[in-house]
Amino acid sequence: MSVRRFMIHSRTVRDGFATLEGDLYNHMVRVLRLGTNDVVQLADENNTVYSGTIDQLGKECVRVEITSTSQAAPTDSPEPRITICQALPKGDKIDLILQKGTELGAADFLLFGGRRSIAKVREDQINSKIERWKRITAEAARQCGRSDIPGVAWRATAVEAARDSGQELRLVLWEGEREHSLKEVLSAESAAPASVVVAIGPEGGFDPLEIRHFTEQGYQPVSLGARILRTETASIAILAVMQYRWGDM
Ligand code: SAH
């Protein structure tokens, strides 16, 4: 098996050793059952890659003795940068979307309160929600060996979510779209765009007014075909398609 790589912060490295605690400790020791003398790679926020060996295993921290250091090209955020602009779904479906989306290489997630979103986020809950969502992307990034962690941001409405867009290609998956299929739209784009944003509605779908907000910001409405997919399926499927068409899949 290839050597596992873990994302760390450069401040955990000192005098030739990296000391890892918390979630990363749990993942390495409890989940992957790594132990003394196991060889690992660590990558920090500057794309420095440290190769080393676990030399101390404590109850709360693990120490890696660093044997070599190199500079990696930032290959873990390949183009296109895909942003998933997702209306908040019910219950814990968002966890699945963040986890699977991270595995499938989403660059970041912009979550918003859809008019038909059943789940609501109160203003005073936003920060703790975002923290929880970021923990999910961090954990998924770690689990799939990605060294960057997708960002998660929140917008209260579709109008605000649409307004943020600077991406080269902007799509809104709309169950009500009858003319343009995803296949058509993708085959019309000859060169791979550097950045893409895809908006996806909640269980109840998009309100036509929301579609207008998106189209006013240059989003093209596209259909995924006659079958209505669940919001989480749509989100996961579009990433797989994009990665196959333009990414590294
Ligand atoms: N309740 C709605 C369906 C919502 S599906 C209805 O019955 O019409 C949830 C979201 O997934 C949609 O808003 C859309 O963004 C996406 N989606 C699901 N199936 C789709 C399809 N066939 N074409 C385009 N988008 C789709």
Side-chain angles (χ1 to χ4, degrees):
M1 198 184 135
S2 62
V3 176
R4 297 288 303 226
R5 183 183 288 188
F6 303 96
M7 182 68 186
I8 58 159
H9 196 279
S10 54
R11 68 171 168 261
T12 57
V13 181
R14 258 189 112 170
D15 301 327
F17 293 95
T19 305
L20 314 170
E21 311 168 305
D23 288 345
L24 184 52
Y25 168 86
N26 280 328
H27 184 66
M28 292 173 78
V29 178
R30 308 245 179 275
V31 181
L32 299 173
R33 308 216 159 263
L34 293 172
T36 318
N37 294 327
D38 281 332
V39 175
V40 293
Q41 277 192 345
L42 309 171
D44 72 12
E45 71 285 2
N46 307 312
N47 285 309
T48 304
V49 178
Y50 309 86
S51 298
T53 311
I54 295 178
D55 81 322
Q56 278 183 15
L57 186 62
K59 279 215 165 64
E60 283 176 0
C61 70
V62 57
R63 192 173 80 160
V64 176
E65 181 177 13
I66 291 161
T67 47
S68 71
T69 304
S70 62
Q71 193 61 35
T75 48
D76 284 325
S77 312
E79 291 195 342
R81 282 186 61 80
I82 306 167
T83 300
I84 291 294
C85 179
Q86 171 77 52
L88 193 66
K90 278 196 289 202
D92 53 11
K93 280 184 181 177
I94 191 61
D95 299 14
L96 185 85
I97 293 171
L98 294 169
Q99 186 194 68
K100 303 303 173 209
T102 300
E103 288 169 40
L104 286 162
D108 45 30
F109 298 89
L110 184 64
L111 310 182
F112 68 95
R115 291 188 123 204
R116 298 184 187 159
S117 284
I118 292 159
K120 303 282 176 220
V121 178
R122 291 198 321 264
E123 193 76 29
D124 62 315
Q125 296 175 313
I126 293 169
N127 288 342
S128 68
K129 291 263 184 202
I130 290 181
E131 255 178 49
R132 202 178 79 79
W133 294 331
K134 284 185 173 163
R135 277 202 300 277
I136 297 172
T137 58
E139 177 57 30
R142 182 147 59 227
Q143 191 271 333
C144 74
R146 228 178 119 157
S147 64
D148 64 323
I149 297 172
V152 185
W154 170 255
R155 299 289 178 270
T157 62
V159 190
E160 290 164 60
R163 204 181 279 150
D164 275 326
S165 308
Q167 290 85 353
E168 222 175 288
L169 178 65
R170 298 168 210 171
L171 303 177
V172 50
L173 304 186
W174 189 30
E175 59 282 8
E177 175 59 34
R178 295 288 169 266
E179 283 177 30
H180 302 286
S181 68
L182 179 67
K183 197 190 283 251
E184 256 173 59
V185 172
L186 295 194
S187 42
E189 297 282 322
S190 47
S195 55
V196 182
V197 58
V198 185
I200 301 138
E203 293 82 355
F206 276 121
D207 180 302
L209 196 66
E210 292 177 309
I211 295 295
R212 214 172 77 205
H213 295 314
F214 281 108
T215 54
E216 279 170 3
Q217 298 293 330
Y219 282 71
Q220 310 174 47
V222 295
S223 163
L224 295 180
R227 291 177 303 278
I228 301 292
L229 312 183
R230 291 190 180 215
T231 182
E232 65 276 27
T233 315
S235 195
I236 294 166
I238 191 71
L239 273 166
V241 170
M242 294 276 166
Q243 293 292 18
Y244 176 75
R245 177 77 168 83
W246 290 310
D248 58 1
M249 199 171 242

